[in-house]
Amino acid sequence: MSGVAECAVDGTIKVTWTIENDYPLVVEVTGQTTGGGELAGLPSQIPATSGNGNTSIAATQTAIPVGSASASLQVSATWADGHKASATGRVSLPGECTPPEKPVTPVAPEISQSEECEVNGTVKVPNTEGVRYLWKGEDVSGKTFTGPLDGVIEVEVKDGFVLADSAKTEFPVTVPAAEVCAPPEKPVTPVAPEISQSEECEVNGTVKVPSTEGVRYLWKGEDVSGKTFTGPLDGVIEVEVKDGFVLADSAKTEFPVTVPAAEVCAPPEKPVTPVAPEISQSEECEVDGTVTIPEIEGVSYFLDDERLEPGTYEGPADVTITAAALGGYTLTGTSSWDVVLTEAKECEDEPTTPTATPTGTPSGTPTPRPSYPPLAYTGAGDTGPLSLLAVGLLGLGGGLVLLKRRKGSRA
């Protein structure tokens, strides 16, 4: 058994004991006694020796009373074959233990640069065990300073401490003076460009860009504030805020602009004057009067909503005939005519000279009257008879009768 005494980090003394087994059998530790202090690390068995020599274990004795001149340890053991033995060791202790210096790493001061105008940044000096922080020779450990500052904070190590490897002893400090605050930004709301779409053919619409304080209006990167543009246009006018201004809440920064190309003007309409239908009242019995619809370039004639082909129509009738312009034409003059064709008078029977009555024919039988065709359109070629009354009834489901009533109500 042998022991080595040394000073611990906390300034106390510790002894490290080495115990060997010199027999090829396992030995069981049956007891141990120290001359003072505590023993740690002693196993219950020590392995048997091997071909490489004795086997050994280590134990540590601490908490040795202050002022002790020596430390001792006695160990009792029994081998596997029943053999018993004990060993005692003693070592001299140093008279006084000076604790070793504790390594320390100084923490860097915390520098906070201000992002606000007219507010200076700060330097917060730490308070680290084992060191003093010096600013121009004064201990400033744990203090906070407000800028502007420019210099070096030095580190001084206290007794019992030593700087750790790579530890710094100087910390440069620079805190510039705060910037002067600019005047507060003025809120601005960009005005939307005025878009005027043209309602005239071959006349393009326009975009009038406003000139608003505090902003620039950009069209494809170019400042167009206060300008007026003629279409066609399709794009976005962007808003750029000038220095000293800020967009008001909900203000827009983009204005879509669409002004389509103007439509091509249609050819000018040709003026045309409708000719009044020609009314011919009949003076013959059982012959109706007629109305003749002329054929005029650019004009159509209508009985209510039913178109009348050019030609002659027979009465009777009490209607209104109107004229309307065809595409590319415009009417001038009168375009509506009242047409009244009275019903033909019946012919009176002429006196006849008595004649011999043919055999087989009763005497006094009147001669049959000739039959007349219906009131007819007489100028429509192969279309067959068609009276004005029929035109009204077929086209409007009785509209002519209603029209007669209306004309009667005006009388």
Side-chain angles (χ1 to χ4, degrees), residues 21-405:
N21 178 13
D22 59 358
Y23 198 70
L25 291 177
V26 175
V27 60
E28 183 177 349
V29 177
T30 57
Q32 54 86 15
T33 304
T34 65
E38 300 175 355
L39 187 66
L42 181 65
S44 61
Q45 291 182 340
I46 302 175
T49 60
S50 63
N52 296 326
N54 297 345
T55 58
S56 62
I57 56 95
T60 302
Q61 183 179 0
T62 59
I64 299 171
V66 177
S68 299
S70 63
S72 61
L73 174 64
Q74 183 179 19
V75 176
S76 301
T78 301
W79 277 260
D81 60 359
H83 178 73
K84 297 180 180 180
S86 63
T88 301
R90 182 181 296 275
V91 293
S92 297
L93 301 180
E96 181 180 356
C97 269
T98 301
E101 292 179 317
K102 184 177 179 180
V104 63
T105 300
V107 178
E110 181 181 339
I111 301 174
S112 299
Q113 304 290 2
S114 175
E115 296 182 357
E116 298 181 50
C117 60
E118 298 183 0
V119 175
N120 286 311
T122 59
V123 176
K124 186 177 181 181
V125 183
N127 196 352
T128 304
E129 180 187 17
V131 298
R132 283 181 288 272
Y133 293 88
L134 306 178
W135 175 260
K136 298 179 180 180
E138 179 186 352
D139 186 354
V140 292
S141 303
K143 295 183 179 181
T144 299
F145 295 90
T146 301
L149 294 169
D150 189 16
V152 176
I153 292 179
E154 299 175 331
V155 174
E156 182 181 80
V157 181
K158 296 179 180 179
D159 293 340
F161 293 85
V162 64
L163 284 174
D165 294 341
S166 304
K168 292 183 178 181
T169 59
E170 291 185 348
F171 296 97
V173 171
T174 300
V175 179
E179 295 182 358
V180 177
C181 291
E185 292 180 316
K186 183 179 179 180
V188 61
T189 300
V191 178
E194 182 181 338
I195 302 175
S196 299
Q197 304 290 3
S198 173
E199 296 182 357
E200 298 182 49
C201 61
E202 298 183 2
V203 176
N204 285 313
T206 60
V207 176
K208 185 177 181 181
V209 184
S211 184
T212 304
E213 181 189 17
V215 300
R216 283 181 286 270
Y217 294 87
L218 305 179
W219 174 260
K220 298 178 180 179
E222 179 185 353
D223 188 353
V224 294
S225 304
K227 296 182 179 180
T228 299
F229 295 89
T230 301
L233 295 168
D234 188 17
V236 176
I237 292 179
E238 300 175 330
V239 173
E240 181 180 78
V241 181
K242 297 180 181 179
D243 293 339
F245 293 85
V246 63
L247 282 176
D249 292 341
S250 303
K252 292 183 177 180
T253 58
E254 292 185 347
F255 297 96
V257 171
T258 300
V259 179
E263 295 182 356
V264 177
C265 292
E269 292 181 331
K270 183 178 179 181
V272 62
T273 301
V275 175
E278 182 180 346
I279 302 171
S280 296
Q281 301 289 358
S282 174
E283 295 181 359
E284 298 180 46
C285 62
E286 296 185 356
V287 176
D288 290 311
T290 62
V291 58
T292 300
I293 304 301
E295 185 172 1
I296 305 297
E297 179 186 0
V299 179
S300 286
Y301 291 84
F302 292 86
L303 173 57
D304 290 332
D305 291 331
E306 190 71 18
R307 187 172 181 274
L308 298 175
E309 296 291 340
T312 301
Y313 294 81
E314 294 179 347
D318 185 359
V319 296
T320 298
I321 293 176
T322 58
L326 297 178
Y329 293 84
T330 182
L331 293 184
T332 62
T334 302
S335 60
S336 177
W337 303 269
D338 290 332
V339 175
V340 178
L341 297 174
T342 58
E343 189 172 357
K345 298 179 181 180
E346 293 186 3
C347 292
E348 296 181 0
D349 293 336
E350 296 181 0
T352 59
T353 303
T355 59
T357 301
T359 304
T361 301
S363 177
T365 302
T367 302
R369 293 177 58 188
S371 60
Y372 293 93
L375 297 177
Y377 163 56
T378 63
D382 297 333
T383 59
L386 182 64
S387 67
L388 285 176
L389 177 60
V391 171
L393 292 176
L394 289 174
L396 303 172
L400 180 57
V401 176
L402 293 176
L403 190 146
K404 283 184 176 181
R405 290 176 182 169

